[in-house]
Amino acid sequence: MESNKLVALVVIIGGLLIGGVVLFSSGNEDPTKNVASVENVVEEAGKQVVTVSAKGGYSPRVSKAKADTPTILKMETKATFDCSSALSIPALGYQGNLPPTGVTEIEVPPQIAGTKLRGSCGMGMYSFEIDFI
Ligand SMILES: [Cu+2]
């Protein structure tokens, strides 16, 4: 009985360690991720995909995207337990709670040039914008 418990404990701790290593290494995949100049806008199947990470604020703070193009905003969270997970994009009528870890895709219809699409946390403390040019 006792050794069974010990085995179970070892399995649980082992799982946590492996999970931690996986999380840690995936978090380190791209060390430039938080640099605003990193290319976070890509074309995928006729749409442009803008990736913004949410954790203690939003990164990058400003993205430049193409106007008149169907767009998917990918909000990435990674152990995000702060209010940046409470996302609000008023111009889209979007308000949602991002999962602590994951990717949330938000459809953005084509925007006219000059549009600055702003998103912020529920309290308006953190924000980001996508400039359509
Ligand atoms: Cu906030």
Side-chain angles (χ1 to χ4, degrees):
M1 206 55 182
E2 281 307 306
S3 70
N4 278 351
K5 276 185 188 164
L6 188 65
V7 167
L9 193 64
V10 166
V11 167
I12 289 168
I13 290 172
L16 287 175
L17 282 175
I18 291 166
V21 166
V22 168
L23 274 178
F24 184 75
S25 54
S26 64
N28 276 3
E29 247 167 35
D30 184 359
T32 60
K33 195 157 214 155
N34 288 320
V35 178
S37 62
V38 77
E39 189 56 72
N40 70 316
V41 181
V42 296
E43 297 266 351
E44 261 175 40
K47 292 187 173 188
Q48 68 184 335
V49 178
V50 181
T51 303
V52 174
S53 73
K55 181 169 181 165
Y58 300 102
S59 174
R61 293 288 304 279
V62 179
S63 303
K64 299 216 180 296
K66 270 198 275 182
D68 306 316
T69 306
T71 302
I72 294 174
L73 172 58
K74 275 191 186 174
M75 298 301 301
E76 282 186 350
T77 47
K78 238 171 224 171
T80 301
F81 298 106
D82 58 84
C83 63
S84 55
S85 64
L87 176 64
S88 165
I89 307 175
L92 299 180
Y94 180 90
Q95 199 144 16
N97 285 308
L98 308 176
T101 296
V103 176
T104 302
E105 296 194 354
I106 300 166
E107 295 268 357
V108 181
Q111 304 286 308
I112 58 167
T115 302
K116 291 184 193 298
L117 187 68
R118 288 176 58 86
S120 71
C121 70
M123 306 179 308
M125 180 171 61
Y126 302 123
S127 67
F128 64 92
E129 69 178 45
I130 303 170
D131 295 351
F132 290 89
I133 49 180

